[in-house]
Structures are given as C-alpha cells and as structure tokens.
Amino acid sequence: MSLSFANSIAVQGRARALVPLCVGAGAYLFFLFLGDTLLQDSDSFWQIKIGQWILDHRAMPMIDFYSFTRTGAPWISTSWLSQVAFAFSHAQWGWAGPVILTAAAVALTVAILVYLLEVHIGAPRAVLFAMLALLLSIHHVLARPHILALPVMVAWVGLLMAAASRRSAPSWTWLPLMALWANLHGGFVLGLALIGPISLEAVEHAEKGRRLALFMRWVLFGIGALIASCCTPYGWRTLQGATNILSLGELLTLIVEWMPANFATFTPFEGALLALIAFGYYRGLVLSAPRIFLILFLTWSALSHVRSIDAFAFLVPLVLAKPLGEMFPQPQPAAAAAESWPGRYVTALGALMIVAASWTSTSLYLGHHRFTFTMTQTPVAAVDLLEQRKVQRVFNAYQFGGYLISRNIPVFVDGRAELYGEKFIMDFFKATEGKKPELLPRLLDEHKIDATLLGADAPGPQILDQLKGWKRIYADDIAVIHVRDAADGATAAPSK
C-alpha cells in the first residue's frame, strides 16, 4: 500500500470520526431555532427559582418555603445541580440561557449515542437511530433537569452495555458518572436498576470458569454505584427523594408526563413499537434473555408513563447495537492507517470548524431573536391584578404554580407533587375539574382562600360563578380570578 493511499484511508477514517459531532451540531441548531418550544412547562419557573435560591444562600433547601399549604414541610431538591445550571444561565442571558443549555444537552446526547452505535452498526444506521430517538422523545424536550441528565444516562448505559458485550466488568472510573447523574436528576435510579440485567448479559456469555468471579465484580460495581449515587448534598436521602414520586398512586394518571401511553391516535412511539416487532419477525433477530428483558422493561416503562419514552428511544438502540452489528457486519479500517497524522489534523480542524460554526450561528440568531415563555403558562395580567389587590392566599391552578413562585407569591399547589401528596392534589383536581364540585367550597374555606386563579378553559371558574359568596372580577383567554364578596372593597377590574 502506497503512503498516499494509506494517508487517504486515514483522512477518511478520521473524517468519519466527526460524524457524531456533526449530528450533535445539527441537533443543537435545530432546537436552538425552535427554542420557544422548549419553554412550555411552568415547572421551569420554580426549577430556576430554587436554583437561584441555592446560588444566593450557598445552601440546599431542606423544607418548603414557596407554598402556604406546606410551609415548613420537609422537602429536598433531587435536581439541584440542574437547577443551579438553569438559574445561572437564566441570570446571564435570560430565557436564551436555558434554551442554549437544553439544546446543548440534546446535542451531546445525540453525539454520544451515534458514537456508541457506530462501532457496531456503522455511521449511517447510527445516525438513523439517533434521529428516530429524537423524533420519539421530542414531546419531552423541555428546559427541565431531565434533559441535562439525558447525555449522562446514554453514556452510563452505553458503557455498561459495552462492558457486557466484551464479557467484562465495568471500570470503577465510570462511577463519577453515577454521582453526576444523581446530582442532576432523580432518574438516576434507572441507571442503578439496569446494572442487574446488564450484568447478566456479561455473565451469560462469559466462560464457565470465570462466571462467578465476573458476577462478583459486577456486584461490587453495583454497590459502588449505589454509594456514588449518595454523593450528593443530601446523602442517602437522595434515593428516598427520587422514588417518592412513584408513591403518588392515582395522581400519576392525571399528571401529563406520568400518564400511560395513549394509542387512541397514532403516535411515533406506537409506530416504533410496531416497527421493532415487524423487524424482529422479518429479519429473525435473535437476542439473549437479558437483552430481551431489557427491551421489555424499557417498553413497559414507556407504556406506563409517557415520560419514559425518551429512555426507550435512546436506550433500546444500545441494547440492539451488538446483535444488529452481527447481522450487518461493518468493514473496519486498518489500525495503522487510522493513526496517520493527516487524519488527526482533519479531525481536529473539522471539530474546530463545527464548534465555531455552531457558536457563530448562535450569536447571529440571538442578535435578532428573543426567547419567550409560552403565554398559556404565564397569566401575567391576572397576577398583576392580584398583586395590586395585595391578595395573600391564592387558590391557583396546578399549571400556574411555577409562574406564581417566580413572582414571589405563595402558592396553593405547584408541580412538586411529591411535596403535597396524592390525596391533597387529587382533592384539588376533583374540585376544580368538576368531578366532585362539592369539595371546592370546603377547600376554599379550610385554607382561608382570598382569591382563586384558575385556567380559563377549566370547569372551576364556572363552578365558582354559581358559588354563593364568590364573584368573578377578571377573565382573559388564560386565567380567571374570583374573590370573596366580603373582601371585594375595590372596584372590580373589567373582564377582557
């Protein structure tokens, strides 16, 4: 082989190494230009508020101080590091900060996924899987902590699957990933849960004489991961806090992201499930028992809670990568050629150009675009009126809690469902959604409510219109305000 031909192979090999970075940059720019769609969940308000409190006080929240119904109740933030990152970026660049942070996290996730997959199935198929994963999870791409933890999740599971494919134990140097995950988001419990079935994949295919030793190494790694997950400001209480949401029972069926998957209309998730089944039958895909269990577990999780669809989308390809690679073998470039100096320069120069182009695009776009939060979550005019009237105790809609917290108004309820508990929020929903309207006057009297702030499209305002002792003083397309007649000493503001 001539030197020029060897260098040509090196350049091509190193250029292929840029594929993950190119795909990540594309994903980043896509979500940057659609950044307003990332600002649609009112939980982002209280996430940023808590992060700013941590920065201001150099301490961790241990109790609730944002509601008047649970003031002083024990509460910890299992996403404190993400909240600090969002708060810092928001303080520096306004809503552009959380948008850029979210888009960058998605980009890193996609890049890691492509990097891990292309080893087994080649760059084209790896990119295809990454795009499908984005399509499935796009409904859950929001400026919230779970997105910042997404690249850590993919890296963690990818490294564990790689170790299992090599029939070896994971490296102890990977444990800081679990510690990082535990500080970013409570979803780290998934990473702990997957250690067991992935270890069985490694042990099942190992030589009989070393299975017990390999299994014990995985057990020790699992113990190390459990300890690493407690390396947070809250210690072992992080585990308890991360699992409290699962004890909310019936309430989980009312919170959108915790609802089960709905196949009443065709969705990308439904299409992915059908395509996976069809491909398995058509190509005769053969999987080991642990890999089958992993796919079934991830599918069950996604069917149970729509928020788990993103885990299904990004992790199932990692489970299938090695079997698919065996079905579609990929040619490997010569190792010596891949290390030639032209290839390294191509990679470094290409990476710098991609990063520079992404940064330049960001600067140009931010120069003429201002990101704003979706108006349906921000009842600005209604809250302005409440502040003018100096209302102390507001019975607010669930989706308005985050915005009220951002305005320093104590809330009746907000998105921290684990703080309030199943019965409290279930009674609230039943009272305001018309399922048990007789609960509404009891809740208003029990909590000494001065005014209500409910969604304009909810049954609650219509119930209050008929409730003696309450009258409507404001309404627009977003929110409706009612106050007690006895407290209405001022002239009512006109409805819009």
Side-chain angles (χ1 to χ4, degrees):
M1 181 184 295
S2 67
L3 180 60
S4 61
F5 186 62
N7 286 341
S8 175
I9 294 177
V11 171
Q12 294 177 20
R14 287 292 176 172
R16 283 196 296 270
L18 292 174
V19 171
L21 188 56
C22 289
V23 176
Y28 168 78
L29 293 175
F30 175 79
F31 283 104
L32 177 70
F33 295 147
L34 297 179
D36 292 324
T37 65
L38 308 181
L39 305 174
Q40 300 186 60
D41 193 318
S42 63
D43 282 358
S44 298
F45 285 107
W46 64 259
Q47 302 278 6
I48 291 173
K49 192 72 173 180
I50 290 173
Q52 191 60 54
W53 187 92
I54 295 173
L55 289 173
D56 292 341
H57 294 81
R58 298 294 190 269
M60 303 301 296
M62 305 295 292
I63 60 172
D64 170 55
F65 35 72
Y66 289 122
S67 76
F68 63 84
T69 51
R70 289 292 186 270
T71 301
W75 181 81
I76 64 173
S77 173
T78 55
S79 301
W80 76 271
L81 187 57
S82 295
Q83 291 160 350
V84 166
F86 277 129
F88 179 81
S89 65
H90 184 266
Q92 297 297 315
W93 303 291
W95 284 114
V99 167
I100 292 174
L101 204 58
T102 302
V106 175
L108 183 58
T109 303
V110 171
I112 293 172
L113 181 64
V114 172
Y115 176 80
L116 293 170
L117 291 179
E118 70 172 344
V119 175
H120 296 286
I121 61 177
R125 293 190 180 95
V127 173
L128 175 61
F129 271 113
M131 295 301 99
L132 290 175
L134 274 183
L135 176 63
L136 290 180
S137 58
I138 197 168
H139 71 285
H140 204 211
V141 178
L142 301 164
R144 286 180 49 193
H146 70 279
I147 293 298
L148 301 193
L150 202 56
V152 182
M153 177 187 74
V154 173
W156 175 261
V157 176
L159 291 171
L160 293 187
M161 291 303 305
S165 298
R166 295 192 305 267
R167 304 170 190 176
S168 62
S171 170
W172 290 88
T173 60
W174 301 346
L175 292 179
L177 267 180
M178 175 52 67
L180 175 61
W181 193 355
N183 285 280
L184 285 171
H185 188 252
F188 71 91
V189 292
L190 174 64
L192 294 175
L194 293 180
I195 294 175
I198 295 177
S199 70
L200 296 180
E201 169 68 14
V203 172
E204 179 182 351
H205 294 91
E207 298 175 3
K208 289 186 177 181
R210 58 185 296 266
R211 286 181 180 175
L212 180 59
L214 181 59
F215 177 72
M216 292 307 301
R217 290 174 63 189
W218 274 89
V219 170
L220 291 175
F221 179 82
I223 295 173
L226 184 64
I227 295 173
S229 71
C230 295
C231 294
T232 74
Y234 298 108
W236 65 269
R237 283 176 295 179
T238 301
L239 283 168
Q240 181 182 8
T243 55
N244 280 344
I245 190 72
L246 299 177
S247 65
L248 294 179
E250 183 185 1
L251 176 58
L252 295 182
T253 64
L254 299 180
I255 302 175
V256 174
E257 62 179 343
W258 286 98
M259 288 181 177
N262 183 0
F263 291 157
T265 58
F266 188 81
T267 63
F269 176 53
E270 184 178 358
L273 281 181
L274 295 175
L276 182 61
I277 295 171
F279 179 82
Y281 275 112
Y282 181 72
R283 299 296 304 192
L285 182 62
V286 178
L287 302 176
S288 63
R291 290 182 190 267
I292 292 174
F293 174 82
L294 285 167
I295 291 176
L296 290 178
F297 172 75
L298 293 170
T299 303
W300 170 79
S301 298
L303 290 172
S304 300
H305 310 296
V306 294
R307 66 173 291 157
S308 297
I309 291 178
D310 49 358
F312 171 91
F314 284 100
L315 300 187
V316 166
L318 294 174
V319 178
L320 294 175
K322 187 173 184 292
L324 289 177
E326 293 170 349
M327 291 180 65
F328 307 102
Q330 301 296 314
Q332 299 296 325
E339 293 300 322
S340 300
W341 66 266
R344 289 194 291 270
Y345 280 106
V346 168
T347 302
L349 181 60
L352 287 175
M353 292 177 65
I354 293 170
V355 172
S358 299
W359 179 253
T360 302
S361 300
T362 301
S363 301
L364 292 174
Y365 188 61
L366 295 183
H368 64 82
H369 182 81
R370 181 175 178 269
F371 295 103
T372 56
F373 211 92
T374 178
M375 292 302 295
T376 58
Q377 305 285 342
T378 53
V380 179
V383 174
D384 288 343
L385 177 60
L386 290 174
E387 286 187 329
Q388 292 172 15
R389 298 176 66 90
K390 295 181 172 53
V391 175
Q392 298 298 313
R393 301 171 76 86
V394 181
F395 184 84
N396 62 278
Y398 187 84
Q399 69 270 23
F400 295 156
Y403 180 69
L404 288 174
I405 288 175
S406 73
R407 296 279 296 265
N408 298 314
I409 297 176
V411 297
F412 181 87
V413 69
D414 62 85
R416 298 170 296 163
E418 72 281 4
L419 168 66
Y420 300 95
E422 178 185 6
K423 184 181 185 305
F424 182 89
I425 302 184
M426 285 302 301
D427 285 348
F428 169 81
F429 276 125
K430 290 175 181 177
T432 56
E433 296 299 323
K435 294 182 178 179
K436 285 190 176 181
E438 65 275 10
L439 286 176
L440 186 53
R442 180 174 67 81
L443 290 176
L444 297 176
D445 292 338
E446 179 182 336
H447 295 281
K448 300 180 174 61
I449 300 301
D450 300 320
T452 67
L453 176 69
L454 300 176
D457 57 351
Q462 284 69 45
I463 298 173
L464 281 163
D465 285 339
Q466 308 301 319
L467 195 59
K468 186 177 180 181
W470 291 85
K471 69 175 181 178
R472 180 184 297 220
I473 65 166
Y474 179 88
D476 59 22
D477 294 336
I478 301 172
V480 178
I481 296 177
H482 286 78
V483 297
R484 292 183 184 273
D485 278 339
D488 189 23
T491 304
S495 296
K496 292 186 178 180

